[in-house]
Amino acid sequence: MTEFDVDVVVVGAGPAGATAATVLARAGHSVILLERGPFPGSKNMYGGVVYPRILDQLHPQWWEEAPVQRWITRRSTMVLTDDQAVSVDFRSQKWGSAPYNGATAFRPDWDHWLASKAEADGATLVCSTTATGLLRENGQVVGVTTDRPDGDLRARVVIACDGVNSFLAKEAGMYGEVDAANYTVGVKETIALPKEVIDERFGVRGRDGMDIEVLGGTSGVNGGGFVYTNLDTLAVGCVLKLPKLAAQELRPEEIIERFKQHPGIAPLVEGGEVQEYSAHVIPEAGLSMMPQMTGDGILIAGDAAAMCLAAGLWLEGVNFAMASGIYAGEAAVEALASGDASAKGLAGYERRLNDTFVLRDHKRLHRAPEIVLSDRVQHLYPQMIANSVERMFRVDNPTPKPGLIRVLNQERKRAGLKVRHVVRDTLEGLRTFG
């Protein structure tokens, strides 16, 4: 009979791994949480907003201790052309008090906090250790090999939270063919500015913050941009579709520099000092690129399972990672109680994913990434929208004001959009987002 070192090995101490380890440790199981970096979060590049409400039950009143930079009380969607900017701005002070909605945070701080909670509940965190492969017996995963001498770890269940392009999921045969079109590369700069300057430029006070999501401004490469406020820094960056990036000559750092020089962005970052530049591959295609989630002795969670919702209006990832970690942990607890760690015994994981927002949101919005990153949405509609808005607000006396329908029709033609394109895209948008 196989002798096991621990009940479960969780590979990757990001949000998914930390929440999975917490659930298992609280249930009384022995858990090792492996992290290849020197500390949780050391390998993470993140420029987004965390939506932590999934933690309400796991860590009640999490907002009292979570390492949050600012609470997002203002959200703006911006459309850019070469020299125009159109914004839709929303503000709610309801988001600035418990239980909050979203927050900016530094991933090293956030991941360290979540991992420390797992440790406090009894999980063992082992850093500077890479899981290099899987251990198998009779076709079932029974642990992992590591880069430490005599470092094999035998476990009844392995939960792979080892990030995008998970090596463990691939070795387990749970990924299909890798398609570069399913990925984007996110490039981000952290720009230092005094807190009072950020408050004035973004119209916020105290711990309130702003999230700006941008369509356009990426030098012709399909993707988007963002600006997020931290306490005394800004996260500014671009998300670029890999095939489009590879097909032109600009490097990502040149694209982000041009993005910062756009007249809609430049006044926000003026005078700031770049403290950090980083880049990271993002699983952008959602449901269509997700691997098999459950195997004999193994579960896949977080970015390793492509748990990233890139749907234009909704750009989320950490919340899906934390949820998938929680549900993987709960499924492993069930499997260990029944003594069956086969794919059948671990089936509670996919049941939980399907019954909750994790896969329900991905299924409902499965076409959104394809729509948002399409050439028409990326390159034709921004020009049509910006030109139409400019003409409606422009005063051309003695010429009378034009009618909106006439302006939209003229700018549609000018942008190279046919009526059938607009009708088809509108119907597809309603089916996807409605």
Side-chain angles (χ1 to χ4, degrees):
M1 178 176 285
T2 301
E3 292 188 8
F4 296 102
D5 300 303
V6 289
D7 292 329
V8 182
V9 170
V10 180
V11 181
T19 54
T22 296
V23 169
L24 285 154
R26 285 186 184 176
H29 292 291
S30 55
V31 188
I32 287 181
L33 180 58
L34 283 185
E35 170 55 43
R36 66 189 177 100
F39 56 86
S42 62
K43 297 292 185 180
N44 292 111
M45 170 265 178
Y46 186 68
V49 177
V50 179
Y51 298 95
R53 291 298 307 278
I54 189 63
L55 297 178
D56 285 359
Q57 292 186 334
L58 191 67
H59 300 305
Q61 279 75 53
W62 51 266
W63 53 84
E64 295 178 357
E65 56 178 302
V68 165
Q69 286 285 301
R70 289 182 185 253
W71 304 108
I72 296 301
T73 58
R74 186 179 178 194
R75 177 161 181 169
S76 179
T77 300
M78 183 181 292
V79 176
L80 301 182
T81 66
D82 289 343
D83 58 359
Q84 299 161 302
V86 178
S87 295
V88 177
D89 194 71
F90 175 77
R91 184 193 295 262
S92 174
Q93 285 309 120
K94 293 178 182 177
W95 289 354
S97 58
Y100 300 98
N101 180 58
T104 53
F106 294 132
R107 277 291 297 277
D109 296 341
W110 187 264
D111 290 8
H112 176 76
W113 172 69
L114 275 180
S116 71
K117 301 295 283 185
E119 283 189 285
D121 283 316
T124 299
L125 175 65
V126 179
C127 294
S128 301
T129 304
T130 301
T132 56
L134 297 170
L135 296 172
R136 294 176 182 271
E137 282 187 5
N138 300 318
Q140 179 150 328
V141 173
V142 293
V144 297
T145 60
T146 75
D147 58 354
R148 294 196 175 201
D150 301 318
D152 291 358
L153 289 171
R154 305 184 76 80
R156 289 176 170 82
V157 177
V158 171
I159 302 179
C161 308
D162 51 335
V164 61
N165 281 330
S166 166
F167 292 113
L168 297 184
K170 287 179 180 177
E171 183 177 334
M174 300 170 81
Y175 261 111
E177 295 254 343
V178 175
D179 184 352
N182 289 335
Y183 297 90
T184 57
V185 59
V187 291
K188 184 199 78 171
E189 290 183 354
T190 301
I191 299 175
L193 280 170
K195 181 182 183 301
E196 58 271 19
V197 173
I198 293 175
D199 288 351
E200 290 302 317
R201 288 185 184 178
F202 292 86
V204 292
R205 299 291 182 270
R207 294 291 294 279
D208 291 355
M210 186 173 185
D211 162 6
I212 303 176
E213 307 290 350
V214 183
L215 174 64
T218 49
S219 301
V221 178
N222 294 29
F226 58 83
V227 180
Y228 304 122
T229 58
N230 300 311
L231 272 176
D232 55 5
T233 62
L234 302 177
V236 180
C238 298
V239 177
L240 309 168
K241 193 166 184 179
L242 278 179
K244 295 288 186 177
L245 179 62
Q248 50 80 60
E249 296 180 352
L250 288 176
R251 293 180 56 82
E253 58 268 28
E254 295 174 295
I255 293 174
I256 194 173
E257 191 61 35
R258 291 187 177 191
F259 178 74
K260 291 190 302 177
Q261 292 171 6
H262 189 281
I265 304 297
L268 303 177
V269 302
E270 184 179 10
E273 180 183 350
V274 177
Q275 291 188 329
E276 177 188 53
Y277 173 87
S278 54
H280 181 64
V281 174
I282 301 170
E284 193 85 7
L287 191 70
S288 66
M289 67 176 297
M290 286 183 180
Q292 177 185 333
M293 303 290 186
T294 308
D296 291 329
I298 186 170
L299 299 172
I300 314 297
D303 268 5
M307 295 288 179
C308 182
L309 186 69
L313 295 176
W314 299 280
L315 301 169
E316 304 169 23
V318 174
N319 52 332
F320 287 94
M322 293 186 294
S324 64
I326 291 169
Y327 301 144
E330 292 174 351
V333 169
E334 286 181 352
L336 292 168
S338 69
D340 181 8
S342 68
K344 182 178 179 180
L346 292 166
Y349 178 45
E350 291 196 50
R351 183 179 68 250
R352 286 171 169 83
L353 295 178
N354 279 296
D355 288 347
T356 61
F357 77 100
V358 178
L359 286 186
R360 285 188 177 183
D361 284 354
H362 276 92
K363 288 176 180 178
R364 180 187 170 201
L365 298 165
H366 72 280
R367 289 269 290 125
E370 182 181 343
I371 294 171
V372 172
L373 291 172
S374 68
D375 286 342
R376 283 202 295 271
V377 169
Q378 289 281 317
H379 307 304
L380 303 184
Y381 283 107
Q383 196 69 60
M384 172 186 161
I385 292 168
N387 285 345
S388 297
V389 171
E390 180 176 314
R391 287 183 60 186
M392 288 305 299
F393 288 128
R394 190 175 67 213
V395 177
D396 287 330
N397 300 153
T399 303
K401 296 187 183 304
L404 177 58
I405 293 176
R406 181 184 176 190
V407 167
L408 287 172
N409 196 43
Q410 288 174 343
E411 292 305 327
R412 172 189 61 76
K413 293 178 180 177
R414 185 176 169 189
L417 285 161
K418 298 185 180 299
V419 172
R420 69 173 183 275
H421 293 153
V422 177
V423 171
R424 183 189 309 153
D425 294 339
T426 300
L427 292 175
E428 187 65 37
L430 290 173
R431 280 194 293 266
T432 299
F433 298 105

